[in-house]
Amino acid sequence: MKTSRLFLAITCLIAAGIVTPIVDNLAAAGEGDGVTAPFSATTITVRNDSEFREAVRRAQPGMVIRIQSGQYKSDVWIENLHGRQDAPIVIEGADPQNPPVFVGGSTGWQISEGSYIILRHLHFRGQKVNGLNIDDGGSFDTPAHHIRLEHIVVEDVGPVGNCDGIKLSGVTDFVVVNCRVEGWGGQAIDMVGCHRGVIERCLFKGKKGFSQDTGPQAKGGSTQIVIRQCRFVDAAKRCVQLGGSTGLAFFRPQGVLYEAKDLLVEDCLFVGGEAAVSFVGVDGAVFRHNTIIRPQVWVARILQETREPGFVPSRNGFFERNLIVFRSDLRDFVNVGPYTAPETFRFAENWWFCEDRPAASRPRLPSPESEGVYGQDPRLRQVDEDRWVVENPAARDFGVRQNP
């Protein structure tokens, strides 16, 4: 069967050390293991800026801080906030249907050197630099860790330049789930030197007037990041960026010779955007079971932006079991830049359909594809702005395996 041969190929890559088995490593994080609020927690409800900031200043492991609905000031600085594995610190909106809104300012919240923290049901809007910033405080040997973000909304950040919805620098063992980022300047989620993270069931939606360079981006030595069951609607120039361009001083750890390694994107829906995925200075990444609808310029890009001595060329990407519906005015299928190793990329069992010229469905790819499907209409039907269903039974094993 085709699928079994595909999984055998992946297993061979794992055995060769090209792609490590990151899904199993991150399954527990996806369920929140180790970052779950205890049953016997001290709960404090706050109603204004001063009460909130005082509660955060006094927070101890096991405390739950609930913020009443309303509008609050941004530029909240939180430092050395540490829960425990059995007693995380929880900061949440008191009413999930009407979360508190942190408006304006430079950055909504900046959390430096934190651990075992859960943030949920919070809204950030109109920041100039970053909506939510979590980092290691510049101390690379003590990363922020065990951070969980749930039902966070970030919108209207920037609008142009290196202004991120969510910025994570030196963060390990983290989960971002059921969040929405809409309208930003640089990256929707910017990960620099981050490890063992899961981004799932999130919505990334572009807005007119915002530059939106990339959606989620993992770079600066990042490893073992999974992006799954997310939706991208006219999201960015590069909807998902695997790798990137980072100054050498900001790599975590120092001295690695790749921007990112061992990344996985699966079961995501991409509608519009210039390119669904960009592999940039990456050393091993899998892009599988994704549905791509009407990309504007390219389907994928293979690029190299960090060209320091010894850096690996962008290599060892897997593009498989994806469902791609495009139009004949696409500039190209895969944009390949200089100093890359496109011959190391594997294309397997993708379904390609050019909706205005079915005869033009077979793509030009940088390496041969095995067992692709060309020119057959998957009969996609839109049921919502970010929901599509496949009505051709033969195509249901391609693209998103379950509508995220």
Side-chain angles (χ1 to χ4, degrees):
M1 186 176 178
K2 291 181 180 180
T3 302
S4 63
R5 286 197 294 272
L6 176 62
F7 290 158
L8 177 61
I10 297 173
T11 303
C12 291
L13 286 180
I14 290 171
I18 294 173
V19 178
T20 61
I22 56 180
V23 179
D24 291 341
N25 294 345
L26 291 166
E31 296 300 320
D33 289 358
V35 203
T36 303
F39 290 105
S40 56
T42 301
T43 300
I44 296 176
T45 300
V46 299
R47 297 169 178 81
N48 55 50
D49 291 297
S50 59
E51 289 180 359
F52 167 62
R53 294 177 189 236
E54 180 64 15
V56 171
R57 190 177 69 83
R58 295 178 175 272
Q60 298 295 321
M63 182 175 288
V64 177
I65 301 172
R66 288 188 175 153
I67 310 170
Q68 291 281 30
S69 303
Q71 184 168 304
Y72 292 79
K73 294 179 181 178
S74 290
D75 295 317
V76 175
W77 174 270
I78 301 171
E79 190 173 18
N80 290 315
L81 185 69
H82 297 283
R84 296 196 310 268
Q85 181 173 358
D86 62 337
I89 295 171
V90 180
I91 306 176
E92 63 183 8
D95 180 0
Q97 303 304 316
N98 187 20
V101 183
F102 290 80
V103 178
S106 177
T107 295
W109 294 7
Q110 177 153 348
I111 301 176
S112 291
E113 296 192 280
S115 64
Y116 294 107
I117 301 168
I118 301 173
L119 306 181
R120 60 189 175 208
H121 301 299
L122 303 170
H123 192 156
F124 300 90
R125 185 178 69 222
Q127 283 73 39
K128 295 179 181 178
V129 180
N130 299 309
L132 177 61
N133 187 339
I134 301 174
D135 61 39
D136 55 12
S139 179
F140 291 6
D141 56 342
T142 56
H145 62 92
H146 292 93
I147 308 293
R148 186 175 180 91
L149 309 181
E150 302 177 0
H151 298 283
I152 305 294
V153 175
V154 181
E155 59 181 347
D156 300 344
V157 176
V160 297
N162 189 22
C163 311
D164 303 330
I166 299 172
K167 188 171 183 66
L168 306 174
S169 302
V171 182
T172 67
D173 302 290
F174 64 93
V175 176
V176 182
V177 61
N178 291 320
C179 295
R180 174 168 60 90
V181 184
E182 185 171 348
W184 63 93
Q187 288 71 47
I189 301 179
D190 190 23
M191 294 165 278
V192 180
C194 293
H195 308 275
R196 298 183 300 279
V198 175
I199 299 171
E200 61 183 351
R201 300 194 300 276
C202 294
L203 171 63
F204 303 97
K205 185 176 179 182
K207 276 187 177 181
K208 289 184 178 180
F210 291 82
S211 53
Q212 290 146 180
D213 294 328
T214 80
Q217 170 181 255
K219 64 176 188 174
S222 291
T223 62
Q224 294 186 295
I225 306 295
V226 172
I227 301 170
R228 64 189 175 204
Q229 296 183 342
C230 293
R231 289 113 57 211
F232 298 79
V233 179
D234 295 322
K237 298 169 185 173
R238 306 175 183 182
C239 295
V240 168
Q241 176 136 298
L242 307 179
S245 177
T246 311
L248 296 183
F250 301 104
F251 273 74
R252 301 160 168 90
Q254 291 278 288
V256 297
L257 298 176
Y258 50 79
E259 283 283 349
K261 182 180 177 69
D262 298 340
L263 309 182
L264 171 65
V265 181
E266 63 180 359
D267 295 306
C268 293
L269 171 68
F270 298 85
V271 181
E274 288 191 7
V277 58
S278 295
F279 302 88
V280 188
V282 70
D283 190 10
V286 175
F287 185 89
R288 69 184 181 196
H289 278 289
N290 301 293
T291 298
I292 302 170
I293 302 173
R294 297 170 191 155
Q296 295 169 359
V297 186
W298 306 281
V299 174
R301 307 186 74 181
I302 300 173
L303 305 173
Q304 187 74 16
E305 294 176 346
T306 302
R307 301 178 183 177
E308 300 295 333
F311 252 75
V312 301
S314 194
R315 65 185 184 182
N316 297 330
F318 237 76
F319 189 94
E320 63 207 12
R321 302 292 286 187
N322 300 295
L323 172 60
I324 306 101
V325 175
F326 59 96
R327 291 175 172 162
S328 59
D329 61 356
L330 198 66
R331 184 181 302 175
D332 205 346
F333 297 94
V334 180
N335 170 227
V336 178
Y339 305 100
T340 61
E343 70 281 359
T344 67
F345 281 71
R346 313 290 178 85
F347 296 84
E349 301 180 27
N350 298 289
W351 184 298
W352 303 84
F353 181 65
C354 180
E355 58 184 346
D356 60 335
R357 287 180 57 204
S361 295
R362 185 180 289 269
R364 296 177 301 276
L365 300 173
S367 63
E369 177 170 28
S370 61
E371 302 186 80
V373 178
Y374 315 108
Q376 297 183 37
D377 190 351
R379 298 203 301 273
L380 284 176
R381 179 170 60 88
Q382 186 173 6
V383 295
D384 201 349
E385 181 183 40
D386 57 344
R387 305 282 179 179
W388 296 67
V389 297
V390 176
E391 295 189 329
N392 182 343
R396 287 177 183 162
D397 289 335
F398 297 80
V400 175
R401 285 169 287 194
Q402 55 184 7
N403 205 358

